[in-house]
């Protein structure tokens, strides 16, 4: 199959772009397709919605899934021109979207340029896509179904697969029990570990490299990324080789791999699991072949030298705010993000912010500290520094985090050590893909920061939406903890951050108690 050959060839971002240009899977072929996808509906759901809409408004038009596929593609049977719409159908679509039928069947204005390919090339591309196990419509539908799988269903499925009830991070808060997919231990959750001094990771220069072993699944991953405009680049990435976690300190050894290597191997496990859970499939050996091969049991999870274990560094960010006549007494603003569609994992999920992969920009030996990752992610995800974005391409600055290059908010925070507090609050392995997770807490202690720079705190492209919660709003935060939209690692960091902030936040906090039950 053509995509299998492409997957084996794709080892760098340039090669990925070249190979997928042959496959040529577009994102949106028509404005109609774009608007349906923006509603996060499958074709079956939209067809049902359109039928209800027509019935309630006295419209005679109807839309079957088969007809809808043709309209979204802008082509009739066998690729023939679509022809004019029936007036009733055109009127129904126009009333739903408040856009003319001609515009709906046209190409989106922001569609990437198609180049000067001839009709023969386009036919070849369509045949290549037809050979593939799913097209752009199937990719988008599947993405919608995955996003609707609740966090607890993922955690429960992994607990069943690994028979790991006691090893998973589980808490009780406000009478409710919440379990995650984070495999951890009791002594990994009471760290009191300052950053950067308490977490010391060294680079092993002679670490071996593990190659992706499933070309078919890797090719599907590439096609999905292209079709959904996921930012997938071949940047350096740390992989964990050894770790020792103690109260007050974490030490370990990391090696280097490539982000593409991770995306086409360990990261495939998340999609495989979500698809099975979304389809109510049986969670057992044999139903998850990639997981059976790469991460079959808890012993394999902890054998770091024999697998690719990439890492995440994420933190609950709490910013001190002064008393306000409308908001009330002084508190902390707790930042929570809704992840965008373009991120590699946890798309459309809630998470803390900042959240990023543990990776270097230009200095592989000097950037192993998780503190370096956190500060860089703050600059990128909260303070608008696009030049430290790991997906932006090659970096030309020798010292991207040099004092002279810092944003105004970050420069102010680093001028005095008492303005910014960072702690590692927990460590564990996320069974979703086997990643190591450093849960952290960032506290901006000086409320003058909010007065000066609160208006400059703005999320980047990785975030689909930002939420702020008051550290004094116990009821709302209790509801937030039970939200099924969380990604498991995000909730892990949030809960550990809440636990620690209750201890150190003083009168600024009125947070729900979080009692650890498992892990």
């Amino acid at each position: 199959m053509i995509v299998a050959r492409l997957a084996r060839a794709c080892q760098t971002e340039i090669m990925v772009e070249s190979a997928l240009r042959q496959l040529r899977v577009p994102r949106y072929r028509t404005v109609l397709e774009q608007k349906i996808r923006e509603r996060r509906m499958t074709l079956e759901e939209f067809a049902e919605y359109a039928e209800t809409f027509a019935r309630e408004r006295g419209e005679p038009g109807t839309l079957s899934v088969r007809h809808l596929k043709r309209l979204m593609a802008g082509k009739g049977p066998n690729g023939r021109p679509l022809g004019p719409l029936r007036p009733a159908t055109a009127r129904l679509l126009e009333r739903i979207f408040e856009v003319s039928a001609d515009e709906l069947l046209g190409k989106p204005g922001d569609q990437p340029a198609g180049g000067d390919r001839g009709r023969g090339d386009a036919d070849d591309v369509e045949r290549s896509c037809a050979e593939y196990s799913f097209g752009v419509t199937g990719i988008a539908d599947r993405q919608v179904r995955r996003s609707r799988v609740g966090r607890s269903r993922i955690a429960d499925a992994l607990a069943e697969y690994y028979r790991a009830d006691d090893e998973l991070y589980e808490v009780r808060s406000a009478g409710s029990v919440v379990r995650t997919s984070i495999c951890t231990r009791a002594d990994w959750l009471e760290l009191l570990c300052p950053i950067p001094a308490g977490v010391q990771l060294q680079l092993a220069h002679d670490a071996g490299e593990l190659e992706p072993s499933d070309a078919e699944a890797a090719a599907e991953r590439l096609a999905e990324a292209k079709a959904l405009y996921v930012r997938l680049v071949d940047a350096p990435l740390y992989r964990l080789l050894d770790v020792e976690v103690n109260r007050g300190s974490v030490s370990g050894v990391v090696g280097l791999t490539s982000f593409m290597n991770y995306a086409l191997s360990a990261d495939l496990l998340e999609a495989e699991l979500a698809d099975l859970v979304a389809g109510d499939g049986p969670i057992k050996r044999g139903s998850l072949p990639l997981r059976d091969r790469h991460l079959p049991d808890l012993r394999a999870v902890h054998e770091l030298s024999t697998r690719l274990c990439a890492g995440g560094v994420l933190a609950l960010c709490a910013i001190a705010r002064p008393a306000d006549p409308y908001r009330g007494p002084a508190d902390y603003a707790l930042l929570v993000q809704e992840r965008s569609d373009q991120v590699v994992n946890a798309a459309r999920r809630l998470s803390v912010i900042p959240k990023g992969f543990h990776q270097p920009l230009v200095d592989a030996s000097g950037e192993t500290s998780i503190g370096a990752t956190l500060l860089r992610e703050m600059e990128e995800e909260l303070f608008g520094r696009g030049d430290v974005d790991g997906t932006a391409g090659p970096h030309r600055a020798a010292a991207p985090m040099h004092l002279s290059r810092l944003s105004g908010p970050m420069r102010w925070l680093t001028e005095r050590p008492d303005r910014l507090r960072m702690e590692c609050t927990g460590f564990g392995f996320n069974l979703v893909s086997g990643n190591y997770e450093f849960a952290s807490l960032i506290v901006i202690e000086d409320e003058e920061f909010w007065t000066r720079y609160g208006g400059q705190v703005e999320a980047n492209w990785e975030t689909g939406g930002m939420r702020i919660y008051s550290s004094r709003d116990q009821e709302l935060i209790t509801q937030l903890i039970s939200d099924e939209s969380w990604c498991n690692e995000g909730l892990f960091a949030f809960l550990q951050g809440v636990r620690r902030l209750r201890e150190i936040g003083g009168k600024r906090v009125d947070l729900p108690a979080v009692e650890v039950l498992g892990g």
Side-chain angles (χ1 to χ4, degrees):
M1 183 179 286
I2 184 173
V3 288
R5 295 197 300 273
L6 295 180
R8 286 191 290 269
C10 294
Q11 298 300 318
T12 67
E13 181 185 10
I14 295 175
M15 295 172 72
V16 167
E17 287 297 321
S18 174
L20 285 175
R21 205 173 295 123
Q22 299 175 46
L23 187 61
R24 198 68 178 180
V25 181
R27 185 182 187 188
Y28 299 126
R29 295 160 292 182
T30 59
V31 172
L32 175 62
E33 182 177 29
Q34 179 179 7
K35 290 189 173 295
I36 290 174
R37 296 311 176 196
E38 287 172 350
R39 294 184 177 216
R40 297 183 179 179
M41 286 181 167
T42 65
L43 298 191
E44 291 79 6
E45 289 169 340
F46 181 77
E48 183 178 347
Y49 167 80
E51 181 180 346
T52 302
F53 185 97
R55 184 172 59 251
E56 291 177 348
R57 289 160 178 78
E59 287 287 348
T62 59
L63 277 172
S64 68
V65 172
R66 184 178 181 182
H67 189 198
L68 195 56
K69 287 181 178 179
R70 294 174 182 171
L71 296 180
M72 289 171 58
K75 296 176 183 178
N78 301 319
R80 294 194 300 268
L82 191 61
L85 286 181
R86 291 173 49 227
T89 302
R91 188 167 58 249
L92 174 59
L93 290 172
E94 288 174 345
R95 289 197 64 183
I96 290 174
F97 294 109
E98 298 182 349
V99 173
S100 73
D102 289 342
E103 183 176 346
L104 286 171
L105 299 182
K107 292 185 178 180
D110 60 352
Q111 182 85 0
D116 56 357
R117 301 173 64 92
R119 180 63 250 173
D121 289 339
D123 290 340
D124 289 342
V125 168
E126 289 169 11
R127 282 193 293 272
S128 296
C129 290
E131 291 179 13
Y132 200 44
S133 60
F134 55 85
V136 68
T137 298
I139 291 173
D141 281 352
R142 191 161 67 177
Q143 185 77 350
V144 170
R145 288 191 293 270
R146 287 173 183 168
S147 69
R148 291 178 179 170
V149 176
R151 180 205 53 75
S152 62
R153 290 182 65 193
I154 293 292
D156 290 345
L158 289 167
E160 181 178 351
Y161 180 89
Y162 290 104
R163 300 176 183 177
D165 289 333
D166 296 337
E167 290 85 357
L168 297 185
Y169 180 76
E170 185 176 72
V171 304
R172 179 185 290 115
S173 182
S176 297
V177 174
V178 177
R179 179 165 61 183
T180 73
S181 65
I182 305 301
C183 180
T184 187
R185 300 171 180 170
D187 56 348
W188 292 0
L189 303 175
E190 306 292 343
L191 295 182
L192 300 178
C193 189
I195 299 173
V199 183
Q200 300 295 321
L201 301 174
Q202 296 182 336
L203 179 67
H205 297 277
D206 57 350
E209 179 68 300
L210 302 174
E211 295 295 331
S213 60
D214 194 302
E216 189 73 16
E220 290 188 7
R221 185 73 176 92
L222 293 173
E224 282 186 354
K226 189 67 175 179
L228 300 173
Y229 281 179
V230 172
R231 295 199 183 187
L232 193 61
V233 298
D234 199 32
L237 187 68
Y238 291 122
R239 56 179 288 234
L240 191 63
L241 301 173
D242 189 26
V243 67
E244 182 176 347
V245 183
N246 298 295
R247 187 180 178 90
S249 68
V250 178
S251 59
V253 179
V254 295
L256 282 175
T257 186
S258 72
F259 193 89
M260 191 64 71
N261 202 18
Y262 161 76
L264 300 184
S265 56
D267 191 53
L268 300 176
L269 302 185
E270 179 178 5
E272 180 188 54
L273 177 64
D275 288 340
L276 185 65
V277 175
D280 296 319
I283 308 299
K284 61 181 182 180
R285 294 294 189 274
S287 60
L288 295 166
L290 291 177
R291 187 169 297 273
D292 293 345
R293 184 183 313 148
H294 297 290
L295 212 63
D297 50 40
L298 292 182
R299 180 180 179 181
V301 171
H302 293 278
E303 288 183 346
L304 302 178
S305 62
T306 60
R307 72 179 183 91
L308 198 165
C309 182
V313 180
L314 63 171
L316 173 61
C317 186
I319 305 176
R321 298 188 295 188
D324 182 88
Y326 299 101
R327 186 180 63 249
D331 66 353
Y332 289 105
L334 307 183
L335 306 185
V336 174
Q337 64 167 316
E338 301 170 49
R339 302 276 285 169
S340 80
D341 291 336
Q342 294 180 284
V343 295
V344 170
N345 54 27
R348 302 181 180 180
R349 301 285 186 179
L350 293 181
S351 184
V352 294
I353 184 170
K355 174 184 178 359
F357 280 96
H358 187 209
Q359 59 187 145
L361 283 185
V362 294
D363 184 357
S365 295
E367 297 179 62
T368 57
S369 167
I370 66 169
T373 297
L374 282 177
L375 291 177
R376 188 175 69 233
E377 292 296 318
M378 287 181 70
E379 281 281 74
E380 176 192 348
E381 296 185 9
L382 294 177
F383 303 150
R385 283 279 305 280
D387 61 323
V388 293
D389 184 347
T391 69
H395 296 276
R396 295 178 175 83
M401 292 296 291
H402 190 275
L403 179 64
S404 64
R405 300 180 66 90
L406 296 182
S407 65
M410 183 60 76
R411 185 180 295 111
W412 188 87
L413 287 172
T414 55
E415 285 176 351
R416 283 177 24 194
D418 61 336
R419 288 175 173 168
L420 182 65
R421 175 178 188 153
M422 297 195 298
E423 290 186 10
C424 182
T425 57
F427 176 83
F429 295 103
N430 189 350
L431 296 184
V432 171
S433 295
N435 293 359
Y436 63 93
E437 306 287 358
F438 281 103
S440 308
L441 174 66
I442 296 173
V443 183
I444 298 178
E445 305 275 12
D446 192 336
E447 65 184 26
E448 185 182 347
F449 176 87
W450 187 260
T451 303
R452 283 175 174 254
Y453 299 109
Q456 296 184 37
V457 176
E458 182 176 353
N460 71 343
W461 65 268
E462 297 177 57
T463 298
M466 175 87 82
R467 303 182 186 181
I468 291 184
Y469 293 85
S470 170
S471 60
R472 299 182 59 85
D473 196 335
Q474 183 173 145
E475 182 176 353
L476 200 56
I477 290 176
T478 297
Q479 295 175 11
L480 177 64
I481 289 172
S482 299
D483 196 315
E484 280 295 305
S485 301
W486 281 99
C487 64
N488 279 281
E489 67 274 18
L491 184 57
F492 173 54
F494 183 81
L495 290 169
Q496 284 296 100
V498 166
R499 292 182 68 215
R500 182 59 176 150
L501 200 57
R502 271 175 54 89
E503 297 175 355
I504 65 175
K507 295 182 179 180
R508 290 184 183 273
V509 306
D510 182 17
L511 294 165
V514 176
E515 176 191 0
V516 176
L517 303 177

